[in-house]
Amino acid sequence: MKDILIVGGGHNGLVCACYLASAGKKVTVLERRDIVGGAAVTEEFHPGFRNSVASYTVSLLNPKIIRDLNLHEHGLQVKLRPQSNFFPLSGSESLSFYKSPEDTRAEIARFSEKDAAALPAFYEMLETVADVLREELLRTPPNVGGGLADLVRAGSFGMRAKKLSMAQRRDALDLFTKSATDVLDAWFENDHVKAAFAFDSIVGNYGAPSTPGSAYVLLHHVFGEVNGEKGAWGHAIGGMGAITQAMLKEAERLGVEVVTGAGVEEVIIDGGQAKGVRLADGEVLHAHKVVSNVGPKLLFGKLVDEQHLDPEFQRRVRGFKVGSGTFRMNVALSELPDFTCRPGAQLQQHHQAGIVIGPTMQYLEQAYLDAKQFGWSRKPIVEMLIPSTVDDTLAPAGQHVASLFCQQFAPELPEGKDWDDYREQAADTIIDTVTEYAPNFRNSVIARQIHSPLDLERKFGLVGGDIFHGALGLDQLWCNRPFMGFSDYRTPIRGLYLCGSGTHPGGGVTGVPGHNAAREILKD
């Protein structure tokens, strides 16, 4: 009999395991694949070329978790991007966001003096609201209809919110409820500048900048930090797998048993209480508590027999929104892309930035409309990172690897079409899109690794290819994540808990759900 079984060895499962083990619990982590890390893994996809397979950049990993789990001592190194973002706009024009606010303001002034003047106040507004989020990250949300502890948590949040000025409260309301288009239109006039900020509103969000609630997705991507620098993004040396391998070392140091090749087929429930799991090979493992690091849709849709859930809860599970519109590729390159707007295939600063193809608000809108109509965008939104420009462990000398994170691609294709029949065609569209801005790109591709939404579901258990385990809408945030009444990492089944990104505060490689779930489990 185990103390605690954790289903899924992704980063949140490992974080949860470490905190539970450090409190003296006997913990076993069960991972279906032959490597732990979930979507935060590094793999060789072509001889000599390694890259982060799915998750691809660092910012949201919580500093407390980095310290508590001794990740730096276990070898984790994170390098800041030398340049934040680079936006090719045409064959001759581009927009760059730099580490220096002064340099970024000067760049934006080329497009609009008014927008450059508005930039400091806009950043201050984002940071003020992001700080509210940061304060709530490591706190368990109050359960609507809960007991005294939930009332105290709700009251504490109210007292913290009371410190905001009226203008700041209005800003927070805007960011939590409005579309990114509505928010950005009130701040900026230039279309390219608005599109640069709007990109964050559709990352992992199957929607357009004009979709209500997309402003929160923008905010979600700015509450992180790297090496003490708020809002920064960086690269884990060795790829994202370096994070989860460091977590694995800490887990093993604490005595956690980690079992790979152990796919869970069913959570065993008796008398309304979780008693263990049945593995794919038929083996049954018993435990006092079971913790699920898979998303709510997968847990309650496939691993828990519906007889154990009341009809209303089953309806909520069916209605839980998943599908992030994400298509993920890795490519091996013989040379760096030569952008016509910034010529040269030799290493330049923009090659070390987040390279984003999404030049106008209409481009971002049309990408979503195409996906709704045809299944994927004819001109997709592409973020390309070339981590080998800052990490020479990933590719042979003189060659490179690139991560391509692409939107918008329907979780399910229309008219009953299957992603397996169209994944190569969609990948070609992405290559063609980048080649429009960097003509040497197509011929520089040595090999490619493709993950359609269906591939992401099969490989990593991300239902609908949803990188966040569930959409980040107001109806699925904070005390509503994943469901109202179950925001405290518990479930309707006694002894069954959630510790993954389908819980507060949501997706991204944060480790926070695992941290918070462990605290609640230990309370019980």
PDB file of all heavy atoms in Angstrom, residues 17-42:
ATOM      1  N   ALA A  17       5.207  15.814  -6.033  1.00  0.00           N
ATOM      2  CA  ALA A  17       5.873  14.681  -5.392  1.00  0.00           C
ATOM      3  C   ALA A  17       6.982  15.141  -4.457  1.00  0.00           C
ATOM      4  O   ALA A  17       7.146  14.616  -3.346  1.00  0.00           O
ATOM      5  CB  ALA A  17       6.429  13.741  -6.459  1.00  0.00           C
ATOM      6  N   CYS A  18       7.748  16.133  -4.885  1.00  0.00           N
ATOM      7  CA  CYS A  18       8.862  16.615  -4.058  1.00  0.00           C
ATOM      8  C   CYS A  18       8.361  17.217  -2.752  1.00  0.00           C
ATOM      9  O   CYS A  18       8.914  16.942  -1.675  1.00  0.00           O
ATOM     10  CB  CYS A  18       9.684  17.633  -4.831  1.00  0.00           C
ATOM     11  SG  CYS A  18      10.715  16.935  -6.148  1.00  0.00           S
ATOM     12  N   TYR A  19       7.332  18.045  -2.828  1.00  0.00           N
ATOM     13  CA  TYR A  19       6.809  18.658  -1.602  1.00  0.00           C
ATOM     14  C   TYR A  19       6.191  17.614  -0.672  1.00  0.00           C
ATOM     15  O   TYR A  19       6.360  17.685   0.561  1.00  0.00           O
ATOM     16  CB  TYR A  19       5.790  19.735  -1.939  1.00  0.00           C
ATOM     17  CG  TYR A  19       6.411  21.042  -2.379  1.00  0.00           C
ATOM     18  CD1 TYR A  19       6.370  21.446  -3.708  1.00  0.00           C
ATOM     19  CD2 TYR A  19       7.066  21.869  -1.469  1.00  0.00           C
ATOM     20  CE1 TYR A  19       6.951  22.639  -4.120  1.00  0.00           C
ATOM     21  CE2 TYR A  19       7.653  23.061  -1.862  1.00  0.00           C
ATOM     22  CZ  TYR A  19       7.594  23.445  -3.197  1.00  0.00           C
ATOM     23  OH  TYR A  19       8.178  24.621  -3.594  1.00  0.00           O
ATOM     24  N   LEU A  20       5.496  16.638  -1.230  1.00  0.00           N
ATOM     25  CA  LEU A  20       4.908  15.590  -0.390  1.00  0.00           C
ATOM     26  C   LEU A  20       5.999  14.731   0.250  1.00  0.00           C
ATOM     27  O   LEU A  20       5.916  14.393   1.438  1.00  0.00           O
ATOM     28  CB  LEU A  20       3.965  14.722  -1.234  1.00  0.00           C
ATOM     29  CG  LEU A  20       2.699  15.402  -1.746  1.00  0.00           C
ATOM     30  CD1 LEU A  20       1.962  14.491  -2.729  1.00  0.00           C
ATOM     31  CD2 LEU A  20       1.767  15.772  -0.588  1.00  0.00           C
ATOM     32  N   ALA A  21       7.009  14.392  -0.528  1.00  0.00           N
ATOM     33  CA  ALA A  21       8.087  13.561   0.008  1.00  0.00           C
ATOM     34  C   ALA A  21       8.880  14.302   1.079  1.00  0.00           C
ATOM     35  O   ALA A  21       9.315  13.700   2.074  1.00  0.00           O
ATOM     36  CB  ALA A  21       9.006  13.108  -1.121  1.00  0.00           C
ATOM     37  N   SER A  22       9.061  15.610   0.884  1.00  0.00           N
ATOM     38  CA  SER A  22       9.808  16.378   1.882  1.00  0.00           C
ATOM     39  C   SER A  22       9.049  16.462   3.199  1.00  0.00           C
ATOM     40  O   SER A  22       9.637  16.733   4.253  1.00  0.00           O
ATOM     41  CB  SER A  22      10.107  17.784   1.357  1.00  0.00           C
ATOM     42  OG  SER A  22       8.917  18.520   1.192  1.00  0.00           O
ATOM     43  N   ALA A  23       7.724  16.190   3.148  1.00  0.00           N
ATOM     44  CA  ALA A  23       6.911  16.149   4.373  1.00  0.00           C
ATOM     45  C   ALA A  23       6.843  14.742   4.953  1.00  0.00           C
ATOM     46  O   ALA A  23       6.072  14.497   5.900  1.00  0.00           O
ATOM     47  CB  ALA A  23       5.506  16.669   4.075  1.00  0.00           C
ATOM     48  N   GLY A  24       7.605  13.816   4.372  1.00  0.00           N
ATOM     49  CA  GLY A  24       7.694  12.469   4.928  1.00  0.00           C
ATOM     50  C   GLY A  24       6.771  11.447   4.304  1.00  0.00           C
ATOM     51  O   GLY A  24       6.708  10.304   4.782  1.00  0.00           O
ATOM     52  N   LYS A  25       6.069  11.786   3.232  1.00  0.00           N
ATOM     53  CA  LYS A  25       5.153  10.845   2.597  1.00  0.00           C
ATOM     54  C   LYS A  25       5.903   9.942   1.622  1.00  0.00           C
ATOM     55  O   LYS A  25       6.880  10.351   0.991  1.00  0.00           O
ATOM     56  CB  LYS A  25       4.036  11.589   1.862  1.00  0.00           C
ATOM     57  CG  LYS A  25       3.228  12.518   2.753  1.00  0.00           C
ATOM     58  CD  LYS A  25       2.580  11.765   3.911  1.00  0.00           C
ATOM     59  CE  LYS A  25       1.816  12.692   4.829  1.00  0.00           C
ATOM     60  NZ  LYS A  25       1.282  11.964   6.012  1.00  0.00           N
ATOM     61  N   LYS A  26       5.408   8.718   1.488  1.00  0.00           N
ATOM     62  CA  LYS A  26       5.944   7.774   0.508  1.00  0.00           C
ATOM     63  C   LYS A  26       5.165   7.969  -0.791  1.00  0.00           C
ATOM     64  O   LYS A  26       3.970   7.691  -0.862  1.00  0.00           O
ATOM     65  CB  LYS A  26       5.818   6.341   1.007  1.00  0.00           C
ATOM     66  CG  LYS A  26       6.671   6.051   2.244  1.00  0.00           C
ATOM     67  CD  LYS A  26       6.511   4.611   2.707  1.00  0.00           C
ATOM     68  CE  LYS A  26       7.359   4.337   3.944  1.00  0.00           C
ATOM     69  NZ  LYS A  26       7.172   2.946   4.439  1.00  0.00           N
ATOM     70  N   VAL A  27       5.859   8.448  -1.798  1.00  0.00           N
ATOM     71  CA  VAL A  27       5.208   8.876  -3.034  1.00  0.00           C
ATOM     72  C   VAL A  27       5.733   8.066  -4.212  1.00  0.00           C
ATOM     73  O   VAL A  27       6.950   7.866  -4.346  1.00  0.00           O
ATOM     74  CB  VAL A  27       5.444  10.379  -3.294  1.00  0.00           C
ATOM     75  CG1 VAL A  27       4.676  10.842  -4.528  1.00  0.00           C
ATOM     76  CG2 VAL A  27       5.058  11.204  -2.076  1.00  0.00           C
ATOM     77  N   THR A  28       4.823   7.644  -5.080  1.00  0.00           N
ATOM     78  CA  THR A  28       5.187   6.990  -6.327  1.00  0.00           C
ATOM     79  C   THR A  28       4.591   7.775  -7.485  1.00  0.00           C
ATOM     80  O   THR A  28       3.391   8.086  -7.485  1.00  0.00           O
ATOM     81  CB  THR A  28       4.669   5.537  -6.379  1.00  0.00           C
ATOM     82  OG1 THR A  28       5.284   4.784  -5.334  1.00  0.00           O
ATOM     83  CG2 THR A  28       4.995   4.885  -7.718  1.00  0.00           C
ATOM     84  N   VAL A  29       5.422   8.128  -8.449  1.00  0.00           N
ATOM     85  CA  VAL A  29       4.992   8.825  -9.656  1.00  0.00           C
ATOM     86  C   VAL A  29       4.926   7.813 -10.799  1.00  0.00           C
ATOM     87  O   VAL A  29       5.887   7.081 -11.048  1.00  0.00           O
ATOM     88  CB  VAL A  29       5.954   9.970 -10.029  1.00  0.00           C
ATOM     89  CG1 VAL A  29       5.549  10.611 -11.357  1.00  0.00           C
ATOM     90  CG2 VAL A  29       5.994  11.017  -8.921  1.00  0.00           C
ATOM     91  N   LEU A  30       3.780   7.787 -11.484  1.00  0.00           N
ATOM     92  CA  LEU A  30       3.566   6.851 -12.584  1.00  0.00           C
ATOM     93  C   LEU A  30       3.524   7.637 -13.897  1.00  0.00           C
ATOM     94  O   LEU A  30       2.666   8.494 -14.087  1.00  0.00           O
ATOM     95  CB  LEU A  30       2.251   6.094 -12.393  1.00  0.00           C
ATOM     96  CG  LEU A  30       2.112   5.322 -11.071  1.00  0.00           C
ATOM     97  CD1 LEU A  30       0.689   4.816 -10.898  1.00  0.00           C
ATOM     98  CD2 LEU A  30       3.111   4.161 -11.027  1.00  0.00           C
ATOM     99  N   GLU A  31       4.444   7.330 -14.800  1.00  0.00           N
ATOM    100  CA  GLU A  31       4.518   8.035 -16.083  1.00  0.00           C
ATOM    101  C   GLU A  31       4.345   7.051 -17.242  1.00  0.00           C
ATOM    102  O   GLU A  31       5.037   6.033 -17.306  1.00  0.00           O
ATOM    103  CB  GLU A  31       5.869   8.754 -16.207  1.00  0.00           C
ATOM    104  CG  GLU A  31       6.180   9.319 -17.572  1.00  0.00           C
ATOM    105  CD  GLU A  31       5.104  10.252 -18.102  1.00  0.00           C
ATOM    106  OE1 GLU A  31       4.607  11.106 -17.320  1.00  0.00           O
ATOM    107  OE2 GLU A  31       4.755  10.133 -19.293  1.00  0.00           O
ATOM    108  N   ARG A  32       3.426   7.364 -18.129  1.00  0.00           N
ATOM    109  CA  ARG A  32       3.117   6.468 -19.255  1.00  0.00           C
ATOM    110  C   ARG A  32       4.285   6.337 -20.226  1.00  0.00           C
ATOM    111  O   ARG A  32       4.559   5.257 -20.728  1.00  0.00           O
ATOM    112  CB  ARG A  32       1.886   7.000 -19.993  1.00  0.00           C
ATOM    113  CG  ARG A  32       1.518   6.232 -21.258  1.00  0.00           C
ATOM    114  CD  ARG A  32       0.222   6.754 -21.849  1.00  0.00           C
ATOM    115  NE  ARG A  32       0.294   8.182 -22.105  1.00  0.00           N
ATOM    116  CZ  ARG A  32       0.769   8.722 -23.231  1.00  0.00           C
ATOM    117  NH1 ARG A  32       1.242   7.935 -24.190  1.00  0.00           N
ATOM    118  NH2 ARG A  32       0.787  10.028 -23.396  1.00  0.00           N
ATOM    119  N   ARG A  33       4.985   7.447 -20.491  1.00  0.00           N
ATOM    120  CA  ARG A  33       6.085   7.413 -21.442  1.00  0.00           C
ATOM    121  C   ARG A  33       7.351   6.852 -20.778  1.00  0.00           C
ATOM    122  O   ARG A  33       7.372   6.599 -19.574  1.00  0.00           O
ATOM    123  CB  ARG A  33       6.349   8.813 -22.001  1.00  0.00           C
ATOM    124  CG  ARG A  33       5.142   9.422 -22.725  1.00  0.00           C
ATOM    125  CD  ARG A  33       5.503  10.751 -23.340  1.00  0.00           C
ATOM    126  NE  ARG A  33       6.414  10.575 -24.464  1.00  0.00           N
ATOM    127  CZ  ARG A  33       7.393  11.417 -24.777  1.00  0.00           C
ATOM    128  NH1 ARG A  33       7.634  12.490 -24.018  1.00  0.00           N
ATOM    129  NH2 ARG A  33       8.166  11.204 -25.831  1.00  0.00           N
ATOM    130  N   ASP A  34       8.407   6.707 -21.575  1.00  0.00           N
ATOM    131  CA  ASP A  34       9.648   6.158 -21.025  1.00  0.00           C
ATOM    132  C   ASP A  34      10.572   7.246 -20.510  1.00  0.00           C
ATOM    133  O   ASP A  34      11.726   6.979 -20.153  1.00  0.00           O
ATOM    134  CB  ASP A  34      10.374   5.295 -22.061  1.00  0.00           C
ATOM    135  CG  ASP A  34      10.753   6.074 -23.319  1.00  0.00           C
ATOM    136  OD1 ASP A  34      10.503   7.298 -23.359  1.00  0.00           O
ATOM    137  OD2 ASP A  34      11.278   5.459 -24.268  1.00  0.00           O
ATOM    138  N   ILE A  35      10.077   8.481 -20.463  1.00  0.00           N
ATOM    139  CA  ILE A  35      10.831   9.612 -19.928  1.00  0.00           C
ATOM    140  C   ILE A  35       9.872  10.502 -19.159  1.00  0.00           C
ATOM    141  O   ILE A  35       8.725  10.697 -19.569  1.00  0.00           O
ATOM    142  CB  ILE A  35      11.512  10.407 -21.079  1.00  0.00           C
ATOM    143  CG1 ILE A  35      12.342  11.564 -20.515  1.00  0.00           C
ATOM    144  CG2 ILE A  35      10.492  10.890 -22.093  1.00  0.00           C
ATOM    145  CD1 ILE A  35      13.136  12.304 -21.586  1.00  0.00           C
ATOM    146  N   VAL A  36      10.334  11.011 -18.010  1.00  0.00           N
ATOM    147  CA  VAL A  36       9.473  11.924 -17.252  1.00  0.00           C
ATOM    148  C   VAL A  36       9.628  13.333 -17.805  1.00  0.00           C
ATOM    149  O   VAL A  36      10.575  13.650 -18.521  1.00  0.00           O
ATOM    150  CB  VAL A  36       9.810  11.909 -15.744  1.00  0.00           C
ATOM    151  CG1 VAL A  36       9.582  10.531 -15.145  1.00  0.00           C
ATOM    152  CG2 VAL A  36      11.225  12.397 -15.492  1.00  0.00           C
ATOM    153  N   GLY A  37       8.663  14.175 -17.440  1.00  0.00           N
ATOM    154  CA  GLY A  37       8.732  15.564 -17.864  1.00  0.00           C
ATOM    155  C   GLY A  37       7.499  16.042 -18.585  1.00  0.00           C
ATOM    156  O   GLY A  37       7.327  17.243 -18.798  1.00  0.00           O
ATOM    157  N   GLY A  38       6.622  15.096 -19.002  1.00  0.00           N
ATOM    158  CA  GLY A  38       5.412  15.512 -19.710  1.00  0.00           C
ATOM    159  C   GLY A  38       5.765  16.269 -20.971  1.00  0.00           C
ATOM    160  O   GLY A  38       6.557  15.806 -21.806  1.00  0.00           O
ATOM    161  N   ALA A  39       5.181  17.473 -21.114  1.00  0.00           N
ATOM    162  CA  ALA A  39       5.440  18.288 -22.303  1.00  0.00           C
ATOM    163  C   ALA A  39       6.725  19.098 -22.183  1.00  0.00           C
ATOM    164  O   ALA A  39       7.114  19.772 -23.136  1.00  0.00           O
ATOM    165  CB  ALA A  39       4.261  19.220 -22.568  1.00  0.00           C
ATOM    166  N   ALA A  40       7.388  19.043 -21.019  1.00  0.00           N
ATOM    167  CA  ALA A  40       8.652  19.769 -20.816  1.00  0.00           C
ATOM    168  C   ALA A  40       9.808  18.775 -20.862  1.00  0.00           C
ATOM    169  O   ALA A  40      10.377  18.394 -19.841  1.00  0.00           O
ATOM    170  CB  ALA A  40       8.638  20.531 -19.495  1.00  0.00           C
ATOM    171  N   VAL A  41      10.120  18.322 -22.073  1.00  0.00           N
ATOM    172  CA  VAL A  41      11.183  17.336 -22.277  1.00  0.00           C
ATOM    173  C   VAL A  41      12.052  17.765 -23.459  1.00  0.00           C
ATOM    174  O   VAL A  41      11.623  18.510 -24.333  1.00  0.00           O
ATOM    175  CB  VAL A  41      10.625  15.917 -22.546  1.00  0.00           C
ATOM    176  CG1 VAL A  41       9.968  15.350 -21.302  1.00  0.00           C
ATOM    177  CG2 VAL A  41       9.640  15.925 -23.712  1.00  0.00           C
ATOM    178  N   THR A  42      13.283  17.256 -23.453  1.00  0.00           N
ATOM    179  CA  THR A  42      14.202  17.470 -24.563  1.00  0.00           C
ATOM    180  C   THR A  42      14.493  16.112 -25.194  1.00  0.00           C
ATOM    181  O   THR A  42      14.793  15.158 -24.483  1.00  0.00           O
ATOM    182  CB  THR A  42      15.529  18.092 -24.077  1.00  0.00           C
ATOM    183  OG1 THR A  42      15.251  19.313 -23.388  1.00  0.00           O
ATOM    184  CG2 THR A  42      16.463  18.368 -25.241  1.00  0.00           C
TER     185      THR A  42
END
